């Protein structure tokens, strides 16, 4: 592996990549069904849930769309503090939903009081929150936000995008009372891109029954009919499920708590490194992401030149996202990245900075 410090697609372990080369199976076969059941059962452990778990042949944006189409007939409040939360808002609006934004500047987070105020002003069928905003490296306090929703507007569903954090940070779905929790394959789960996963509460499934125009591909009620028979309505991304089957064993062998501790330690290391060099992370404590650090480019580094130099060692980081390009840079420390990989990167960056 040549560690890529970009927030997806990330490096994939050789044995996981190799699993994709196995001969295909018919998806209406006992062998496939057994594997599909195994992957669902172990994914539920990573999601900290007893809820049903869907495996879709689509990237995370597809699951964002599934959430809006299945659980919102009309009104949804989108908490927006970065590019991917803004995308979810766009997904809602372009699907014809009456979506309102609760927005704060990029780098900041949505605080429980802000959400409580918004929910007191208007009733919403659902609230959409991005747990870890990959564009800014800010982590929304989802547990506290969900608590506020339950207190102020108990029938409002809580939908959470954890595309760039699930598998690297503990998200206690059932304990926090989340209704829809989604992630993509190509981030902290360290799989190739192309799949997304989502767990759904009973009350959200009940709500879906009354929602019109759920469409076909992302109709979770239809998917559930097949899921209970350990299959999918359409042809699944078989090779990716072979990879998932192997990767879930690796993830659970590391131990979830160890995995979360590894991600936190690497986040802290990155932040300390940056601060010691006069470059502050964009997000403030305690809301800094554990999986991707977005750092002010206060030294005015030429990020393209930096990456050119890093690529001579087979590694790279990510530039800032959108308007934050060149003003910030992002170091992802997720998936297969180990502390020693990060230390190597930071040493090369010091060389570039001539420290
Ligand atoms: C937080 C977040 N949500 C959604 C997405 C979209 O996911 P995908 O690219 O898998 O469609 C991304 C992608 O980077 C993301 O970081």
């Amino acid at each position: 592996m040549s560690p890529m410090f970009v927030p997806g697609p990330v490096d994939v372990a050789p044995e996981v990549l190799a699993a994709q080369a196995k001969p295909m199976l018919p998806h209406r076969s006992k062998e496939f069904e057994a594997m599909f059941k195994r992957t669902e059962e172990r994914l539920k452990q990573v999601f900290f849930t007893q809820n049903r778990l869907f495996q879709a042949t689509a990237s995370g944006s597809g699951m964002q769309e599934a959430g809006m189409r299945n659980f919102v007939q009309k009104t949804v409040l989108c908490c927006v503090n970065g590019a991917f939360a803004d995308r979810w808002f766009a997904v809602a609006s372009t699907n014809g939903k009456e979506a309102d934004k609760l927005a704060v500047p990029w780098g900041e987070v949505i605080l429980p009081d802000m959400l409580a105020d918004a929910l007191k002003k208007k009733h919403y069928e659902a609230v959409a929150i991005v747990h870890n905003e990959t564009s800014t490296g800010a982590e929304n306090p989802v547990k506290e936000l969900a608590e506020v929703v339950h207190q102020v507007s108990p029938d409002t569903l809580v939908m959470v995008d954890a595309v760039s954090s699930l598998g690297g940070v503990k998200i206690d779905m059932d304990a926090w009372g989340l209704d829809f929790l989604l992630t993509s394959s190509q981030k902290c789960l360290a799989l190739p891109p192309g799949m997304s996963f989502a767990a759904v509460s009973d009350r959200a499934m009940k709500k879906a029954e009354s929602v019109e125009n759920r469409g076909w591909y992302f109709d979770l009620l239809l998917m559930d009919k097949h899921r209970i028979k350990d299959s999918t309505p359409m042809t699944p991304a078989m090779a990716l499920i072979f990879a998932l089957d192997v990767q879930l064993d690796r993830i659970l062998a590391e131990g979830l708590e160890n995995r979360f501790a590894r991600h936190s330690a690497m986040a802290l290391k990155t932040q300390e490194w940056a601060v010691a060099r006069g470059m502050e992370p964009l997000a403030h404590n305690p809301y800094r992401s554990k999986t991707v650090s977005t750092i002010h480019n206060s030294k005015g580094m030429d990020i393209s030149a930096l990456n050119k130099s890093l690529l001579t060692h087979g590694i790279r980081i990510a530039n800032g996202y959108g308007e934050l390009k060149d003003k910030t840079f992002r170091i992802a420390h997720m998936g297969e990245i180990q502390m020693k990989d990060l230390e190597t990167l930071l040493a090369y960056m010091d060389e570039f900075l001539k420290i």
Side-chain angles (χ1 to χ4, degrees):
M1 273 186 277
S2 65
M4 294 204 290
F5 300 86
V6 297
V10 299
D11 283 300
V12 179
E15 61 264 47
V16 177
L17 279 179
Q20 296 179 97
K22 288 203 312 197
M24 295 298 123
L25 291 171
H27 61 292
R28 312 272 177 234
S29 66
K30 290 282 163 247
E31 299 99 304
F32 173 75
E33 286 162 12
M35 179 176 62
F36 199 69
K37 190 181 168 96
R38 274 202 307 274
T39 51
E40 174 172 346
E41 278 165 3
R42 284 168 298 158
L43 274 169
K44 282 173 160 183
Q45 295 179 43
V46 186
F47 275 67
F48 289 85
T49 192
Q50 303 290 325
N51 288 320
R52 63 197 60 63
L53 190 136
F54 295 102
Q55 310 179 48
T57 301
S59 75
S61 309
M63 273 301 190
Q64 284 189 330
E65 187 143 301
M68 292 298 168
R69 292 197 74 120
N70 283 271
F71 308 125
V72 179
Q73 182 63 58
K74 206 169 161 200
T75 57
V76 57
L77 179 65
C78 295
C79 298
V80 176
N81 62 330
F84 294 101
D86 215 24
R87 176 178 305 179
W88 211 359
F89 170 79
V91 167
S93 315
T94 54
N95 275 288
K97 309 300 172 187
E98 197 183 282
D100 289 341
K101 266 190 201 184
L102 172 59
V104 294
W106 283 31
E108 294 182 14
V109 296
I110 307 293
L111 294 170
D113 286 351
M114 299 174 189
L115 183 56
D117 288 347
L119 292 175
K120 281 175 194 159
K121 286 194 194 115
K122 180 170 168 185
H123 180 263
Y124 293 96
E125 294 166 57
V127 168
I129 309 163
V130 169
H131 175 242
N132 188 73
E133 195 27 273
T134 321
S135 57
T136 65
E139 186 189 280
N140 276 311
V142 165
K143 177 175 184 267
E144 290 75 14
L145 293 172
E147 256 168 39
V148 157
V149 180
H150 300 321
Q151 277 163 17
V152 180
S153 186
D155 66 334
T156 298
L157 299 178
V158 182
M159 307 203 295
V160 175
D161 165 328
V163 163
S164 59
S165 48
L166 198 137
V169 179
K170 182 169 183 178
I171 303 174
D172 208 339
M173 179 174 193
D174 292 357
W176 298 358
L178 310 183
D179 293 290
F180 179 61
L181 177 62
L182 76 103
T183 198
S184 298
S185 52
Q186 77 279 11
K187 311 258 188 200
C188 297
L189 297 176
L191 286 158
M195 281 191 82
S196 49
F197 312 101
V200 180
S201 70
D202 287 342
R203 69 172 190 158
M205 288 307 279
K206 188 82 202 136
K207 166 78 195 283
E209 289 172 17
S210 67
V211 174
E212 288 162 11
N213 298 322
R214 296 188 303 275
W216 192 88
Y217 196 79
F218 291 117
D219 178 1
L220 295 177
L221 294 183
L222 175 65
M223 277 173 87
D224 206 36
K225 278 193 192 138
H226 290 261
R227 186 197 62 81
I228 56 177
K229 292 183 279 174
D230 302 315
S231 195
T232 53
M234 66 295 284
T235 315
M238 185 68 60
L240 288 172
I241 300 175
F242 288 147
L244 172 65
D245 194 27
V246 173
Q247 178 64 345
L248 283 168
D249 275 351
R250 295 180 73 257
I251 289 174
L252 296 175
E254 177 179 9
L256 290 172
E257 295 302 335
N258 292 337
R259 198 172 173 86
F260 303 150
R262 173 166 63 83
H263 283 77
S264 290
M266 294 191 298
L268 200 62
K269 175 87 193 172
T270 308
Q271 292 158 19
E272 284 173 357
W273 172 88
V275 171
R277 281 145 191 82
M279 299 185 288
E280 283 292 320
L282 180 65
H284 296 290
N285 266 330
Y287 304 113
R288 289 179 181 158
S289 166
K290 322 271 188 317
T291 60
V292 54
S293 296
T294 300
I295 297 162
H296 281 290
N297 186 14
S298 321
K299 298 260 170 222
M301 286 187 291
D302 177 339
I303 307 296
S304 307
L306 167 64
N307 257 342
K308 218 168 165 187
S309 143
L310 291 175
L311 274 168
T312 62
H313 304 288
I315 61 182
R316 70 180 95 201
I317 64 161
N319 205 330
Y321 194 96
E323 287 183 9
L324 293 176
K325 186 166 184 244
D326 295 322
K327 294 184 195 134
T328 63
F329 58 91
R330 292 175 299 159
I331 298 178
H333 25 74
M334 59 172 72
E336 300 295 341
I337 302 280
Q338 304 293 324
M339 186 61 95
K340 66 176 176 14
D341 303 320
L342 182 66
E343 285 166 355
T344 305
L345 168 76
L346 298 178
Y348 286 139
M349 287 186 68
D350 276 344
E351 239 172 62
F352 185 82
L353 281 163
K354 303 205 186 339
I355 287 175

